[in-house]
Amino acid sequence: MNSTRTRRAGSAAAAALVLAGIVTAAGPAAAAPACTPRIQVLGSIGTGGYHVGNEQTEGVLALGTGTLSVGVSGGKPVYWTGTRLRKVPLSDANLSGAVLAVNKSGLMVGVVHGADDYLFTYRAGDAAVTRLPGSDWLSDDADVNDAGYVVSRTRPGTGAVWKDGLKVRDLAVPSDAAPGTRIELVSGINNKGDVIGMAREDYEVPETGQRLEGSYPVLWPADGGPAKALPRTSHDSWVQDIDESGRVVGYDWYGMGYQYRPVTWTPPYSGPVGAPDALKTHPYGTFEAVSPTTGVSVGTAKFHPDIQTLPDQAQLWTGTGPVLALPRLAANQASAASSAADDGRVGGAAVNAGGTLKPVIWTCATKQAYLPK
């Protein structure tokens, strides 16, 4: 996720009107301030370790302005100012969830899991969260841009855009999608208003008996034009984030377990899909986020869980050259990267020497990244 994360319905004309308020001219990136490379360990309420395949209960999932960051700790939605943890107030303290994204003005979007699942928005200091209507469907992917537009998936298998607590647009599958295709997730929006997500198809062509099954990336353009399927490189392509230039990052799934390979899609999305090699020490890996304007992609290098030669490791790619590793918090302990900011911060989670998973931020991340032997 970048420091802003989120998604679109109706006629093309109506869609264009909805998105008119989103479109802004992206200015040049400001020069990054001087910083000290380190791994900053944030406050946490969890005490668990890192278990491959389990739901993440600790981690920095998005990075806001200044010292604000958001994510999950102890399975609860939280945010941090510096290293100090603050809980998002929920109506029931037993509910679980996470804050998934935050924009430059501090508007957060998160998810709650309980008797029913829903998305919410929240600002620091508010007495309660604002539940988003029509979001009652299990989804751990959402985003918000700097104009305050929130995007995610909804119950009917479509995507949606909310603004000021109200749904303003639906996001449909591409017009040429196979019958029964549904939106699996909506995971990113940039400040221009481009939205990305994933469609899932499961259809047998009557004339040939061919079965169309799998997922593929979809982009809803900021101008309100029709949804566009991005090139596929496998039967399951998962898109996670989009930057201000329209660069999309994610990963392809090739088989059982964590057999993922990081992938990038670049406008006009007609050429070959970018697929940098995995981190030198690991056979698989993901891209979970890209910084808004500096082109830094981050994710996690992996082994198959049944052949765990090395623990997972946070990884970084500048857009050229090999994928690099981010330092572990403790020797031979796992780490994962989930968010990236233009100021050089990378957020995620890492296991300390005592075996406890902690939310962390790598500052000046590109200066810390290295090519493992």
Side-chain angles (χ1 to χ4, degrees):
M1 300 179 192
N2 54 36
S3 57
T4 66
R5 277 191 69 109
T6 5
R7 298 355 148 199
R8 140 196 191 296
S11 67
L17 288 173
V18 169
L19 284 172
I22 304 179
V23 178
T24 58
C35 60
T36 302
R38 60 182 174 141
I39 305 177
Q40 187 177 33
V41 179
L42 309 189
S44 62
I45 53 179
T47 58
Y50 183 86
H51 302 286
V52 173
N54 286 5
E55 181 180 351
Q56 185 171 338
T57 58
E58 301 286 335
V60 177
L61 303 181
L63 297 158
T65 303
T67 64
L68 176 65
S69 56
V70 304
V72 59
S73 185
K76 307 292 185 182
V78 301
Y79 63 100
W80 295 267
T81 51
T83 60
R84 182 178 178 183
L85 179 144
R86 302 172 189 271
K87 297 180 182 179
V88 172
L90 300 178
S91 58
D92 182 347
N94 294 318
L95 296 173
S96 61
V99 182
L100 305 172
V102 62
N103 70 8
K104 71 176 182 181
S105 67
L107 179 64
M108 308 175 200
V109 59
V111 62
V112 167
H113 300 307
D116 61 338
D117 304 297
Y118 60 89
L119 291 172
F120 66 83
T121 56
Y122 178 76
R123 288 186 185 275
D126 289 351
V129 303
T130 298
R131 180 169 176 162
L132 296 181
S135 65
D136 53 340
W137 187 249
L138 180 63
S139 180
D140 280 331
D141 291 277
D143 201 3
V144 59
N145 73 1
D146 288 344
Y149 286 85
V150 175
V151 296
S152 189
R153 184 187 63 176
T154 63
R155 180 174 290 277
T158 61
V161 180
W162 293 264
K163 181 71 164 67
D164 299 327
L166 299 175
K167 189 170 79 164
V168 297
R169 189 180 179 188
D170 290 321
L171 300 171
V173 299
S175 59
D176 58 353
T181 299
R182 66 187 189 278
I183 298 302
E184 184 76 1
L185 59 83
V186 181
S187 52
I189 184 172
N190 59 19
N191 287 325
K192 181 182 176 183
D194 296 319
V195 177
I196 50 102
M198 186 182 82
R200 179 164 292 277
E201 62 185 3
D202 188 356
Y203 176 70
E204 185 173 296
V205 181
E207 295 79 8
T208 64
Q210 178 190 11
R211 186 152 205 93
L212 304 176
E213 187 174 5
S215 65
Y216 58 88
V218 176
L219 179 134
W220 293 270
D223 62 7
K228 175 181 180 179
L230 301 187
R232 308 187 201 190
T233 55
S234 78
H235 287 298
D236 284 285
S237 295
W238 295 71
V239 291
Q240 295 297 93
D241 203 3
I242 183 170
D243 73 4
E244 301 304 344
S245 73
R247 180 189 293 106
V248 175
V249 302
Y251 49 90
D252 284 340
W253 181 62
Y254 286 96
M256 298 297 293
Y258 281 75
Q259 296 183 30
Y260 302 138
R261 299 305 292 266
V263 181
T264 64
W265 292 262
T266 304
Y269 312 112
S270 56
V273 176
D277 290 335
L279 187 66
K280 185 177 180 181
T281 51
H282 291 68
Y284 311 119
T286 67
F287 283 157
E288 306 290 347
V290 61
S291 59
T293 66
T294 57
V296 174
S297 303
V298 300
T300 304
K302 297 175 177 289
F303 273 85
H304 189 288
D306 295 336
I307 315 172
Q308 199 69 31
T309 305
L310 290 172
D312 291 356
Q313 186 161 10
Q315 63 181 17
L316 177 151
W317 188 53
T318 63
T320 59
V323 172
L324 305 175
L326 285 170
R328 300 182 186 275
L329 183 58
N332 300 315
Q333 297 285 12
S335 62
S338 306
S339 51
D342 282 343
D343 62 7
R345 290 175 297 159
V346 168
V351 179
N352 65 16
T356 301
L357 184 63
K358 292 289 186 180
V360 299
I361 292 175
W362 289 266
T363 60
C364 306
T366 56
K367 295 182 179 180
Q368 297 193 60
Y370 65 95
L371 185 64
K373 296 180 180 180

